Amino acid sequence: MRLVLDWDGTVTERDTLELVVERFGDIATYRRTGELMGNGRLGHDEALAMSFATVRAPLDDVVAWAVGAVRVRHGLRELTGRHRPLIVSSGFHELIEPILAREEIEVPLLANRLDARPDGWRIRFRPARRCRRCGERCKRSALPPGDVAYVGDGYSDRCAALAATRVFAIGGLAAYLDEQAIPYESFEDLHDVARALAGEGSVR
Ligand SMILES: [Mg+2]
Ligand SMILES: [Zn+2]
């Protein structure tokens, strides 16, 4: 079984994208576009693009802040050591790779890229097909073939989670799967996921 992890709010304790917009951009735009996205009135990528257009800080400053401030969940090293997961993120290589380097972890990563312009950051989205199920350029097409265990926490994980063999969910993803009456396993840290994948039971 291949293991696929979301990054923000799943590997990291808090959503780095929200933290960056909160500190360096306009968090009201992030919240408003997030709400529109939740109601199906704005696409995920459009919401992200509108939020990050409000960030104007130099990329180096944001990376330096992120390396100092972003915390990853306990158990990341155990989990990546055992399973060599693929990380699929709607965040950015430029902000994720320095955190992975800090943690001394090397794993394959699929994410978007940034053009951090001083008049507002632009996102260079990872090439992906528009999904026939959800209508977005979602994470489903990034899943490896065969059985997949998917770990996620948010809106961008929904469609991929529906396609996975086994799902570990918290936060908004867990709430969505509850609504859909789709089973998943909960977790607090990544040791929980490692234990469950080792057949030592799940936390739910
Ligand atoms: Mg997330
Ligand atoms: Zn989809």
Side-chain angles (χ1 to χ4, degrees):
M1 178 126 46
R2 286 297 309 278
L3 177 63
V4 178
L5 306 176
D6 166 54
W7 177 257
D8 282 295
T10 297
V11 172
T12 68
E13 290 187 350
R14 286 196 56 199
D15 193 313
T16 316
L17 302 178
E18 181 176 358
L19 290 176
V20 167
V21 177
E22 186 176 75
R23 186 170 182 91
F24 297 98
D26 177 34
I27 194 64
T29 299
Y30 181 92
R31 301 226 166 93
R32 193 177 65 247
T33 57
E35 213 165 281
L36 291 171
M37 182 178 78
N39 297 333
R41 290 161 62 201
L42 191 64
H44 174 271
D45 288 355
E46 290 73 23
L48 203 61
M50 287 167 72
S51 294
F52 276 86
T54 71
V55 177
R56 291 173 183 163
L59 181 60
D60 288 352
D61 292 1
V62 179
V63 168
W65 168 83
V67 168
V70 172
R71 292 163 55 100
V72 299
R73 284 184 204 278
H74 292 293
L76 177 62
R77 189 161 308 182
E78 179 192 3
L79 189 64
T80 54
R82 283 201 206 173
H83 293 281
R84 191 173 160 74
L86 167 68
I87 294 175
V88 182
S89 174
S90 22
F92 314 111
H93 281 270
E94 291 84 349
L95 294 179
I96 297 171
E97 282 164 4
I99 309 290
L100 287 172
R102 185 193 71 190
E103 300 296 319
E104 298 178 341
I105 283 167
E106 278 184 49
V107 287
L109 168 66
L110 286 176
N112 297 318
R113 292 189 184 274
L114 281 168
D115 179 5
R117 298 191 200 176
D119 63 341
W121 287 12
R122 313 288 206 281
I123 301 173
R124 291 195 282 125
F125 287 99
R126 176 175 65 81
R129 288 190 303 274
R130 197 167 281 285
C131 174
R132 284 159 57 186
R133 302 287 186 98
C134 71
E136 306 239 29
R137 296 181 210 284
C138 76
K139 295 178 176 180
R140 180 186 285 255
S141 64
L143 299 184
D147 283 341
V148 167
Y150 190 90
V151 191
D153 77 308
Y155 180 92
S156 72
D157 303 311
R158 291 180 178 186
C159 198
L162 297 180
T165 318
R166 189 168 179 181
V167 181
F168 296 86
I170 48 173
L173 178 62
Y176 170 76
L177 295 173
D178 280 335
E179 271 169 34
Q180 306 288 314
I182 291 167
Y184 63 91
E185 295 162 73
S186 186
F187 63 96
E188 287 193 0
D189 64 26
L190 299 172
H191 290 300
D192 294 336
V193 177
R195 264 195 298 276
L197 289 173
E200 294 163 34
S202 74
V203 288
R204 176 179 161 148

